[in-house]
mmCIF file of all heavy atoms in Angstrom:
data_model
loop_
_atom_site.group_PDB
_atom_site.id
_atom_site.type_symbol
_atom_site.label_atom_id
_atom_site.label_comp_id
_atom_site.label_asym_id
_atom_site.label_seq_id
_atom_site.Cartn_x
_atom_site.Cartn_y
_atom_site.Cartn_z
ATOM 1 N N SER A 230 0.785 -1.231 0.010
ATOM 2 C CA SER A 230 0.069 -0.074 0.007
ATOM 3 C C SER A 230 0.840 1.230 -0.053
ATOM 4 O O SER A 230 0.443 2.335 -0.309
ATOM 5 C CB SER A 230 -0.963 0.087 1.210
ATOM 6 O OG SER A 230 -0.230 -0.061 2.382
ATOM 7 N N SER A 231 2.096 1.105 0.330
ATOM 8 C CA SER A 231 2.945 2.252 0.425
ATOM 9 C C SER A 231 3.704 2.422 -1.016
ATOM 10 O O SER A 231 4.579 3.366 -1.216
ATOM 11 C CB SER A 231 4.093 2.218 1.554
ATOM 12 O OG SER A 231 4.945 1.081 1.201
ATOM 13 N N LEU A 232 3.436 1.518 -1.967
ATOM 14 C CA LEU A 232 4.025 1.519 -3.256
ATOM 15 C C LEU A 232 3.083 2.087 -4.342
ATOM 16 O O LEU A 232 1.937 2.263 -3.978
ATOM 17 C CB LEU A 232 4.469 0.177 -3.688
ATOM 18 C CG LEU A 232 5.368 -0.643 -2.789
ATOM 19 C CD1 LEU A 232 5.508 -2.126 -3.420
ATOM 20 C CD2 LEU A 232 6.718 -0.024 -2.580
ATOM 21 N N SER A 233 3.640 2.313 -5.396
ATOM 22 C CA SER A 233 2.894 2.684 -6.489
ATOM 23 C C SER A 233 3.405 1.993 -7.764
ATOM 24 O O SER A 233 4.618 1.552 -7.710
ATOM 25 C CB SER A 233 2.857 4.222 -6.812
ATOM 26 O OG SER A 233 4.108 4.581 -7.313
ATOM 27 N N ALA A 234 2.683 1.838 -8.757
ATOM 28 C CA ALA A 234 3.370 1.124 -9.981
ATOM 29 C C ALA A 234 4.545 1.841 -10.520
ATOM 30 O O ALA A 234 5.466 1.159 -10.812
ATOM 31 C CB ALA A 234 2.114 1.076 -11.063
ATOM 32 N N ALA A 235 4.550 3.124 -10.360
ATOM 33 C CA ALA A 235 5.592 3.827 -10.915
ATOM 34 C C ALA A 235 6.834 3.725 -10.122
ATOM 35 O O ALA A 235 8.046 3.820 -10.547
ATOM 36 C CB ALA A 235 5.384 5.440 -10.861
ATOM 37 N N SER A 236 6.761 3.313 -8.774
ATOM 38 C CA SER A 236 7.797 3.100 -7.974
ATOM 39 C C SER A 236 8.611 1.849 -8.340
ATOM 40 O O SER A 236 9.827 1.684 -7.845
ATOM 41 C CB SER A 236 7.456 3.080 -6.400
ATOM 42 O OG SER A 236 6.669 1.956 -6.138
ATOM 43 N N LEU A 237 8.150 0.989 -8.999
ATOM 44 C CA LEU A 237 8.698 -0.278 -9.391
ATOM 45 C C LEU A 237 9.443 -0.235 -10.674
ATOM 46 O O LEU A 237 10.079 -1.209 -11.149
ATOM 47 C CB LEU A 237 7.703 -1.402 -9.353
ATOM 48 C CG LEU A 237 6.995 -1.671 -8.123
ATOM 49 C CD1 LEU A 237 6.006 -2.817 -8.278
ATOM 50 C CD2 LEU A 237 8.035 -2.127 -7.060
ATOM 51 N N LYS A 238 9.249 0.814 -11.477
ATOM 52 C CA LYS A 238 9.971 0.907 -12.833
ATOM 53 C C LYS A 238 11.158 1.782 -12.720
ATOM 54 O O LYS A 238 11.329 2.686 -11.762
ATOM 55 C CB LYS A 238 8.996 1.426 -13.789
ATOM 56 C CG LYS A 238 8.680 2.869 -13.713
ATOM 57 C CD LYS A 238 7.689 3.220 -14.916
ATOM 58 C CE LYS A 238 7.301 4.828 -14.801
ATOM 59 N NZ LYS A 238 6.605 5.147 -16.013
ATOM 60 N N PRO A 239 12.112 1.640 -13.645
ATOM 61 C CA PRO A 239 13.433 2.383 -13.564
ATOM 62 C C PRO A 239 13.074 3.982 -13.812
ATOM 63 O O PRO A 239 12.205 4.274 -14.597
ATOM 64 C CB PRO A 239 14.162 1.946 -14.761
ATOM 65 C CG PRO A 239 13.590 0.573 -15.028
ATOM 66 C CD PRO A 239 12.163 0.586 -14.789
ATOM 67 N N VAL A 240 13.860 4.757 -13.133
ATOM 68 C CA VAL A 240 13.678 6.191 -13.170
ATOM 69 C C VAL A 240 15.207 6.684 -13.609
ATOM 70 O O VAL A 240 16.082 6.469 -12.760
ATOM 71 C CB VAL A 240 13.263 6.877 -11.972
ATOM 72 C CG1 VAL A 240 13.253 8.387 -12.274
ATOM 73 C CG2 VAL A 240 11.848 6.364 -11.784
ATOM 74 N N ASP A 241 15.418 7.273 -14.741
ATOM 75 C CA ASP A 241 16.827 7.748 -15.096
ATOM 76 C C ASP A 241 17.677 6.589 -14.997
ATOM 77 O O ASP A 241 18.795 6.676 -14.745
ATOM 78 C CB ASP A 241 17.244 8.869 -14.375
ATOM 79 C CG ASP A 241 16.392 10.141 -14.485
ATOM 80 O OD1 ASP A 241 15.748 10.240 -15.592
ATOM 81 O OD2 ASP A 241 16.200 10.905 -13.532
ATOM 82 N N GLY A 242 17.217 5.324 -15.541
ATOM 83 C CA GLY A 242 18.033 4.191 -15.596
ATOM 84 C C GLY A 242 18.362 3.532 -14.332
ATOM 85 O O GLY A 242 19.253 2.656 -14.190
ATOM 86 N N LYS A 243 17.579 3.829 -13.274
ATOM 87 C CA LYS A 243 17.820 3.177 -12.006
ATOM 88 C C LYS A 243 16.490 2.575 -11.336
ATOM 89 O O LYS A 243 15.575 3.289 -11.377
ATOM 90 C CB LYS A 243 18.577 4.098 -10.953
ATOM 91 C CG LYS A 243 18.858 3.478 -9.615
ATOM 92 C CD LYS A 243 19.631 4.413 -8.656
ATOM 93 C CE LYS A 243 20.105 3.716 -7.453
ATOM 94 N NZ LYS A 243 20.744 4.505 -6.531
ATOM 95 N N ILE A 244 16.671 1.464 -10.824
ATOM 96 C CA ILE A 244 15.594 0.826 -10.072
ATOM 97 C C ILE A 244 15.770 0.995 -8.518
ATOM 98 O O ILE A 244 16.820 0.758 -8.003
ATOM 99 C CB ILE A 244 15.465 -0.633 -10.319
ATOM 100 C CG1 ILE A 244 15.201 -0.954 -11.794
ATOM 101 C CG2 ILE A 244 14.369 -1.274 -9.522
ATOM 102 C CD1 ILE A 244 15.209 -2.331 -12.119
ATOM 103 N N ASP A 245 14.707 1.539 -7.836
ATOM 104 C CA ASP A 245 14.825 1.778 -6.431
ATOM 105 C C ASP A 245 14.733 0.366 -5.778
ATOM 106 O O ASP A 245 13.570 -0.217 -5.893
ATOM 107 C CB ASP A 245 13.661 2.774 -6.030
ATOM 108 C CG ASP A 245 13.883 3.024 -4.376
ATOM 109 O OD1 ASP A 245 14.896 2.591 -3.864
ATOM 110 O OD2 ASP A 245 12.857 3.743 -3.998
ATOM 111 N N LEU A 246 15.807 -0.154 -5.102
ATOM 112 C CA LEU A 246 15.620 -1.403 -4.548
ATOM 113 C C LEU A 246 14.930 -1.506 -3.222
ATOM 114 O O LEU A 246 14.609 -2.555 -2.681
ATOM 115 C CB LEU A 246 16.974 -1.940 -4.418
ATOM 116 C CG LEU A 246 17.943 -2.127 -5.706
ATOM 117 C CD1 LEU A 246 19.280 -2.768 -5.359
ATOM 118 C CD2 LEU A 246 17.131 -2.909 -6.633
ATOM 119 N N ALA A 247 14.822 -0.386 -2.567
ATOM 120 C CA ALA A 247 14.250 -0.406 -1.164
ATOM 121 C C ALA A 247 12.823 -1.049 -1.049
ATOM 122 O O ALA A 247 12.553 -1.828 -0.284
ATOM 123 C CB ALA A 247 14.179 1.131 -0.615
ATOM 124 N N PRO A 248 11.944 -0.744 -2.048
ATOM 125 C CA PRO A 248 10.635 -1.419 -2.033
ATOM 126 C C PRO A 248 10.628 -2.995 -2.221
ATOM 127 O O PRO A 248 9.995 -3.659 -1.564
ATOM 128 C CB PRO A 248 9.849 -0.754 -3.195
ATOM 129 C CG PRO A 248 10.522 0.583 -3.437
ATOM 130 C CD PRO A 248 12.017 0.204 -2.996
ATOM 131 N N ILE A 249 11.684 -3.339 -3.000
ATOM 132 C CA ILE A 249 11.933 -4.817 -3.293
ATOM 133 C C ILE A 249 12.305 -5.453 -1.986
ATOM 134 O O ILE A 249 11.931 -6.551 -1.652
ATOM 135 C CB ILE A 249 12.812 -4.973 -4.450
ATOM 136 C CG1 ILE A 249 12.281 -4.421 -5.723
ATOM 137 C CG2 ILE A 249 13.101 -6.462 -4.621
ATOM 138 C CD1 ILE A 249 13.194 -4.462 -6.908
ATOM 139 N N VAL A 250 13.301 -4.815 -1.379
ATOM 140 C CA VAL A 250 13.874 -5.378 0.003
ATOM 141 C C VAL A 250 12.717 -5.408 0.916
ATOM 142 O O VAL A 250 12.510 -6.576 1.644
ATOM 143 C CB VAL A 250 14.953 -4.538 0.406
ATOM 144 C CG1 VAL A 250 15.376 -5.062 1.875
ATOM 145 C CG2 VAL A 250 16.137 -4.613 -0.485
ATOM 146 N N ALA A 251 11.835 -4.462 1.099
ATOM 147 C CA ALA A 251 10.722 -4.473 2.024
ATOM 148 C C ALA A 251 9.727 -5.528 1.662
ATOM 149 O O ALA A 251 9.313 -6.143 2.628
ATOM 150 C CB ALA A 251 10.060 -3.094 2.112
ATOM 151 N N LEU A 252 9.386 -5.688 0.357
ATOM 152 C CA LEU A 252 8.532 -6.593 -0.006
ATOM 153 C C LEU A 252 8.937 -8.032 0.270
ATOM 154 O O LEU A 252 8.260 -8.934 0.708
ATOM 155 C CB LEU A 252 8.255 -6.507 -1.512
ATOM 156 C CG LEU A 252 7.053 -7.224 -2.085
ATOM 157 C CD1 LEU A 252 5.744 -6.987 -1.293
ATOM 158 C CD2 LEU A 252 6.900 -6.976 -3.581
ATOM 159 N N ASN A 253 10.309 -8.218 0.103
ATOM 160 C CA ASN A 253 10.929 -9.554 0.310
ATOM 161 C C ASN A 253 10.762 -9.932 1.823
ATOM 162 O O ASN A 253 10.400 -11.120 2.161
ATOM 163 C CB ASN A 253 12.333 -9.468 -0.055
ATOM 164 C CG ASN A 253 13.071 -10.773 0.273
ATOM 165 O OD1 ASN A 253 12.643 -11.953 -0.010
ATOM 166 N ND2 ASN A 253 14.105 -10.878 0.985
ATOM 167 N N THR A 254 10.895 -8.938 2.645
ATOM 168 C CA THR A 254 10.823 -9.264 4.104
ATOM 169 C C THR A 254 9.306 -9.724 4.462
ATOM 170 O O THR A 254 9.091 -10.585 5.216
ATOM 171 C CB THR A 254 11.102 -7.996 5.013
ATOM 172 O OG1 THR A 254 12.494 -7.812 4.692
ATOM 173 C CG2 THR A 254 10.995 -8.310 6.472
ATOM 174 N N ALA A 255 8.425 -8.910 3.884
ATOM 175 C CA ALA A 255 6.979 -9.188 4.091
ATOM 176 C C ALA A 255 6.608 -10.524 3.591
ATOM 177 O O ALA A 255 5.838 -11.254 4.080
ATOM 178 C CB ALA A 255 6.112 -8.039 3.486
ATOM 179 N N LEU A 256 7.143 -10.895 2.290
ATOM 180 C CA LEU A 256 6.792 -12.172 1.797
ATOM 181 C C LEU A 256 7.462 -13.275 2.568
ATOM 182 O O LEU A 256 6.732 -14.482 2.656
ATOM 183 C CB LEU A 256 7.354 -12.200 0.364
ATOM 184 C CG LEU A 256 6.517 -11.367 -0.811
ATOM 185 C CD1 LEU A 256 7.407 -11.300 -2.088
ATOM 186 C CD2 LEU A 256 5.251 -12.053 -1.018
ATOM 187 N N ALA A 257 8.517 -13.090 3.119
ATOM 188 C CA ALA A 257 9.118 -14.191 3.998
ATOM 189 C C ALA A 257 8.283 -14.382 5.123
ATOM 190 O O ALA A 257 7.998 -15.593 5.564
ATOM 191 C CB ALA A 257 10.437 -13.820 4.344
ATOM 192 N N THR A 258 7.608 -13.431 5.728
ATOM 193 C CA THR A 258 6.725 -13.496 6.839
ATOM 194 C C THR A 258 5.491 -14.238 6.414
ATOM 195 O O THR A 258 4.968 -15.188 7.159
ATOM 196 C CB THR A 258 6.380 -12.156 7.503
ATOM 197 O OG1 THR A 258 7.613 -11.542 7.945
ATOM 198 C CG2 THR A 258 5.402 -12.284 8.612
ATOM 199 N N ALA A 259 4.969 -13.755 5.255
ATOM 200 C CA ALA A 259 3.773 -14.384 4.680
ATOM 201 C C ALA A 259 3.889 -15.947 4.433
ATOM 202 O O ALA A 259 3.026 -16.648 4.586
ATOM 203 C CB ALA A 259 3.327 -13.577 3.376
ATOM 204 N N SER A 260 5.074 -16.134 3.860
ATOM 205 C CA SER A 260 5.293 -17.619 3.624
ATOM 206 C C SER A 260 5.300 -18.511 4.782
ATOM 207 O O SER A 260 4.676 -19.589 4.799
ATOM 208 C CB SER A 260 6.761 -17.689 2.787
ATOM 209 O OG SER A 260 6.977 -19.057 2.482
ATOM 210 N N THR A 261 5.879 -17.928 5.913
ATOM 211 C CA THR A 261 5.823 -18.827 7.095
ATOM 212 C C THR A 261 4.475 -18.986 7.679
ATOM 213 O O THR A 261 4.074 -20.005 8.174
ATOM 214 C CB THR A 261 6.775 -18.015 8.252
ATOM 215 O OG1 THR A 261 8.132 -17.912 7.789
ATOM 216 C CG2 THR A 261 6.828 -18.829 9.611
ATOM 217 N N ALA A 262 3.739 -17.862 7.573
ATOM 218 C CA ALA A 262 2.301 -17.851 8.085
ATOM 219 C C ALA A 262 1.465 -18.879 7.301
ATOM 220 O O ALA A 262 0.592 -19.583 7.809
ATOM 221 C CB ALA A 262 1.662 -16.554 8.091
ATOM 222 N N LEU A 263 1.608 -18.906 5.955
ATOM 223 C CA LEU A 263 0.805 -19.740 5.107
ATOM 224 C C LEU A 263 1.173 -21.222 5.362
ATOM 225 O O LEU A 263 0.361 -22.052 5.315
ATOM 226 C CB LEU A 263 1.018 -19.397 3.554
ATOM 227 C CG LEU A 263 0.259 -18.138 3.070
ATOM 228 C CD1 LEU A 263 0.757 -17.683 1.732
ATOM 229 C CD2 LEU A 263 -1.218 -18.627 2.935
ATOM 230 N N ASP A 264 2.584 -21.460 5.502
ATOM 231 C CA ASP A 264 2.881 -22.841 5.802
ATOM 232 C C ASP A 264 2.168 -23.315 7.142
ATOM 233 O O ASP A 264 1.801 -24.377 7.223
ATOM 234 C CB ASP A 264 4.421 -22.947 5.967
ATOM 235 C CG ASP A 264 5.127 -22.783 4.628
ATOM 236 O OD1 ASP A 264 4.462 -23.038 3.632
ATOM 237 O OD2 ASP A 264 6.352 -22.519 4.596
ATOM 238 N N SER A 265 2.174 -22.437 8.164
ATOM 239 C CA SER A 265 1.656 -22.721 9.410
ATOM 240 C C SER A 265 0.175 -23.078 9.255
ATOM 241 O O SER A 265 -0.437 -24.011 9.880
ATOM 242 C CB SER A 265 1.930 -21.624 10.466
ATOM 243 O OG SER A 265 1.227 -21.889 11.651
ATOM 244 N N ALA A 266 -0.539 -22.034 8.480
ATOM 245 C CA ALA A 266 -1.927 -22.341 8.432
ATOM 246 C C ALA A 266 -2.332 -23.527 7.594
ATOM 247 O O ALA A 266 -3.296 -24.283 7.865
ATOM 248 C CB ALA A 266 -2.547 -21.060 7.662
ATOM 249 N N ALA A 267 -1.571 -23.819 6.542
ATOM 250 C CA ALA A 267 -1.729 -25.083 5.693
ATOM 251 C C ALA A 267 -1.575 -26.323 6.586
ATOM 252 O O ALA A 267 -2.362 -27.202 6.545
ATOM 253 C CB ALA A 267 -0.777 -25.093 4.565
ATOM 254 N N ALA A 268 -0.592 -26.306 7.473
ATOM 255 C CA ALA A 268 -0.411 -27.412 8.370
ATOM 256 C C ALA A 268 -1.531 -27.641 9.343
ATOM 257 O O ALA A 268 -1.923 -28.688 9.502
ATOM 258 C CB ALA A 268 0.967 -27.293 9.047
ATOM 259 N N SER A 269 -2.025 -26.537 9.901
ATOM 260 C CA SER A 269 -3.032 -26.509 10.917
ATOM 261 C C SER A 269 -4.405 -27.044 10.324
ATOM 262 O O SER A 269 -5.224 -27.877 10.851
ATOM 263 C CB SER A 269 -3.334 -25.251 11.486
ATOM 264 O OG SER A 269 -3.816 -24.229 10.664
ATOM 265 N N VAL A 270 -4.712 -26.581 9.024
ATOM 266 C CA VAL A 270 -5.903 -27.141 8.346
ATOM 267 C C VAL A 270 -5.727 -28.548 7.947
ATOM 268 O O VAL A 270 -6.770 -29.295 7.989
ATOM 269 C CB VAL A 270 -6.202 -26.213 7.161
ATOM 270 C CG1 VAL A 270 -7.353 -26.788 6.257
ATOM 271 C CG2 VAL A 270 -6.641 -24.873 7.547
ATOM 272 N N ALA A 271 -4.599 -28.902 7.615
ATOM 273 C CA ALA A 271 -4.414 -30.285 7.281
ATOM 274 C C ALA A 271 -4.738 -31.343 8.492
ATOM 275 O O ALA A 271 -5.036 -32.490 8.281
ATOM 276 C CB ALA A 271 -2.911 -30.675 6.598
ATOM 277 N N ALA A 272 -4.388 -30.767 9.600
ATOM 278 C CA ALA A 272 -4.551 -31.624 10.827
ATOM 279 C C ALA A 272 -6.054 -31.573 11.363
ATOM 280 O O ALA A 272 -6.285 -32.317 12.419
ATOM 281 C CB ALA A 272 -3.615 -31.076 11.812
#
């Protein structure tokens, strides 16, 4: 929600890596949560 489509494309030949790093951290947390939820439902 803090991103925009424009923030993910190159500007003057440079990609801002900060949003990608932040998104990676959030995805790692999400991956752990989904694994846990999937295991609990399977049980």
